[in-house]
Amino acid sequence: MAKPQTVYVCSECGGKSAKWQGRCPHCEAWNTLVETVESTASGPRPGARHGAAAAQFAGRGGLAAPNGPILLTEVQAERHRHQPSGIDELDRVLGGGLVPGGVLLLGGDPGIGKSTLLLQVLAGLAADLPMLYISGEESAAQIALRAQRLGLKDAPVRLMAETQLEVMLDTLANARPAVAVIDSIQTVYTEALSSAPGSVSQVRECAAQLTRAAKTSGITLVLVGHVTKEGALAGPRVLEHMVDTVLYFEGDTQSRFRLIRAIKNRFGAVNELGVFAMTEHGLKGVSNPSAIFLSTHAEPVPGTCVLATLEGTRPLLVEVQALVDSAAAPSPRRLSVGLDAARLAMLLAVLHRHAGVASGDQDVFVNAVGGVRITEPAADLAVLLAIQSSLRNRPLPRGLLAFGEVGLAGEIRPAPRGQERLREAAKLGFSIAIIPAANAPKGSGRQFEGLELHPVSRIDEALEVVRGLPA
Ligand code: TYD
Ligand code: MG
């Protein structure tokens, strides 16, 4: 077979060049040219051979495209059949389970547990359906060793150590697994491209061909992707557009706990969080995770405040820590781990302007305990209380929690589903809650046994309440 033609396409303007150049000759952007397989109208498209092979065994829920446009009313709406993965916390993020013909991208730092989790999933399903695990990172012996450690040595999972795309496509077409895992997409390469495995063009082309094969044959395909230091999936974000579901592993590898978050899900909601603990025998789901992100201090310490946050349908209590210290350099540092950094600067400005608390000559560091990432603005109030506590070097009273969004005008805005957050806090024995006035329960509020509620509507009011509390 003749080697397919490749061209270099600019990722900014789409302009083509015959050879690689540092600067796009069309739009003059730097470092944007990416090697791509040329697809001509007359010649066969790259992967067409395999696409055809895959189409031959279509039928297991394959998504065959009709010819020409049809009326929306004529289309049979098909509910996605979710196949439970056997791991409840994973099914929760997936919206019920794996979908035939669906392509899932699982991203995460090295060593966080991607391979472990997927081996557990395949082993659990292998009794009923054919499962295939293709690894480009580990040998079959290494995978077998892991399976032994997990107590899954006897599961009939098929293993293959392979990195070449064309071989994989043939194997998928012949072995017809129900679920295939490719660990990882960065190790896969196609001979059609001259660039190295893991480069943007390789990853994009290989993922596209694998996705096409999965769609036409109804195979559930799981692609493992590495995350770079910057937090993006190494190389191409383009992968995120191609696949149906994107899941990310979060959490620091030092702690036992691991989180899986859905960034995108064509088959379900995206706000759910799966919580796992890494044990001696693999990942175990944590069904009641609300208290795992609290650190245990013998005595209350300055600079911490507990936040009642909401992840999907589950309330979580997370300790927010702040350290405010006089800056050594002329421009003070603002650093946040697990919380929005841009929002931190905004909150400090609000604190100054509307509560008279200056921090312009101070370094400010904030952190969410346990490697959890908090994106909701309802964390604002807890962040500010932790900062104020560190600045004054006065601990907040034991058993205090807070939530609420802080606006630019210094107002405290309500958080969604405040009652659920309070109920969880009361259940865990918290005794004082500083909450947005609009979240205060109507009537007596008796439902939160033992929880003293302090509704506030402005940031200065919130600080006033804290000052009046017995230490
Ligand atoms: P791994 O799943 O290989 O991570 P990834 O594929 O995301 O790079 O490894 C996860 C880590 O977990 C590894 O450092 C060893 C550890 N581990 C356990 O603690 N218990 C276990 O049962 C297994 C299999 C691994
Ligand atoms: Mg791995």
Side-chain angles (χ1 to χ4, degrees):
M1 195 177 80
K3 207 166 177 294
Q5 286 289 312
T6 62
V7 288
Y8 291 84
V9 178
C10 173
S11 57
E12 291 288 326
C13 70
K16 289 181 185 174
S17 313
K19 60 180 186 0
W20 190 83
Q21 299 170 65
R23 191 176 201 181
C24 172
H26 306 280
C27 69
E28 312 207 321
W30 287 97
N31 278 330
T32 54
L33 294 194
V34 172
E35 189 188 22
T36 314
V37 177
E38 172 88 283
S39 51
T40 50
S42 53
R45 290 200 319 171
R49 182 169 66 92
H50 299 286
Q56 277 168 13
F57 66 94
R60 206 193 288 146
L63 311 171
N67 291 326
I70 49 171
L71 270 176
L72 178 59
T73 48
E74 287 170 7
V75 185
Q76 282 276 320
E78 216 184 305
R79 281 199 150 263
H80 299 295
R81 286 170 293 133
H82 288 278
Q83 155 89 33
S85 69
I87 297 181
D88 292 346
E89 287 295 305
L90 182 63
D91 289 341
R92 172 189 280 278
V93 255
L94 287 173
L98 300 165
V99 176
V103 181
L104 166 75
L105 176 67
L106 179 64
D109 291 332
I112 201 153
K114 300 181 294 294
S115 307
T116 304
L117 178 72
L118 292 173
L119 191 58
Q120 285 179 264
V121 171
L122 292 195
L125 296 173
D128 304 323
L129 295 161
M131 299 287 139
L132 178 64
Y133 189 109
I134 304 179
S135 179
E137 311 213 322
E138 291 163 303
S139 66
Q142 281 171 306
I143 299 167
L145 200 66
R146 178 183 291 123
Q148 195 167 24
R149 184 173 175 188
L150 296 170
L152 302 169
K153 185 118 185 53
D154 300 325
V157 177
R158 278 166 184 266
L159 297 181
M160 190 163 103
E162 184 55 65
T163 52
Q164 205 203 322
L165 176 74
E166 286 74 18
V167 179
M168 282 182 198
L169 289 171
D170 283 339
T171 310
L172 287 181
N174 296 327
R176 300 176 173 216
V179 183
V181 168
I182 298 191
D183 187 1
S184 66
I185 187 67
Q186 274 101 352
T187 59
V188 185
Y189 74 98
T190 167
E191 289 194 327
L193 295 171
S194 56
S195 44
S199 62
V200 177
S201 36
Q202 283 284 4
V203 168
R204 190 166 63 180
E205 181 62 24
C206 294
Q209 293 207 34
L210 287 165
T211 301
R212 207 176 303 140
K215 294 282 172 214
T216 49
S217 60
I219 296 174
T220 303
L221 186 67
V222 183
L223 304 176
V224 173
H226 290 291
V227 169
T228 58
K229 285 204 193 69
E230 292 76 41
L233 273 180
R237 295 214 65 135
V238 277
L239 273 191
E240 296 188 359
H241 303 292
M242 248 179 243
V243 301
D244 299 307
T245 308
V246 180
L247 303 185
Y248 273 100
F249 252 112
E250 289 175 17
D252 48 24
T253 34
Q254 315 302 325
S255 94
R256 227 155 60 79
F257 294 108
R258 305 283 194 272
L259 309 174
I260 296 188
R261 194 188 293 274
I263 302 295
K264 163 183 175 179
N265 193 356
R266 288 186 183 146
F267 310 124
V270 285
N271 53 3
E272 284 295 351
L273 195 70
V275 185
F276 295 88
M278 181 60 93
T279 69
E280 269 305 288
H281 305 287
L283 288 160
K284 296 251 153 51
V286 180
S287 52
N288 186 9
S290 53
I292 63 175
F293 300 110
L294 301 176
S295 59
T296 44
H297 307 287
E299 286 297 316
V301 292
T304 77
C305 180
V306 174
L307 158 73
T309 183
L310 207 65
E311 285 295 346
T313 51
R314 280 193 303 204
L316 277 184
L317 286 125
V318 179
E319 181 175 322
V320 175
Q321 301 189 324
L323 177 67
V324 183
D325 195 21
S326 29
S331 58
R333 285 163 52 86
R334 273 92 180 80
L335 198 87
S336 78
V337 180
L339 292 148
D340 188 349
R343 213 163 168 91
L344 174 62
M346 187 201 96
L347 289 175
L348 291 173
V350 172
L351 194 63
H352 183 213
R353 184 66 187 269
H354 296 287
V357 179
S359 57
D361 54 351
Q362 308 279 326
D363 287 336
V364 181
F365 307 98
V366 296
N367 172 36
V369 166
V372 62
R373 240 192 30 237
I374 296 169
T375 45
E376 66 162 4
D380 293 352
L381 186 56
V383 171
L384 283 185
L385 293 183
I387 289 172
Q388 167 77 353
S389 160
S390 177
L391 196 62
R392 298 270 170 274
N393 202 25
R394 273 195 51 180
L396 292 163
R398 184 184 287 280
L400 180 140
L401 81 126
F403 62 84
E405 180 181 345
V406 175
L408 284 180
E411 82 279 19
I412 311 277
R413 298 211 200 109
R417 312 232 295 281
Q419 313 281 311
E420 273 167 56
R421 299 173 198 243
L422 291 172
R423 212 168 299 131
E424 191 65 29
K427 208 166 81 189
L428 290 171
F430 280 80
S431 51
I432 307 166
I434 304 187
I435 58 169
N439 280 123
K442 304 188 177 53
S444 65
R446 273 275 175 78
Q447 42 184 323
F448 312 114
E449 207 67 56
L451 193 59
E452 184 185 311
L453 300 180
H454 293 276
V456 292
S457 48
R458 299 198 51 80
I459 182 63
D460 43 341
E461 199 183 326
L463 297 187
E464 195 61 44
V465 166
V466 170
R467 249 174 253 133
L469 291 171

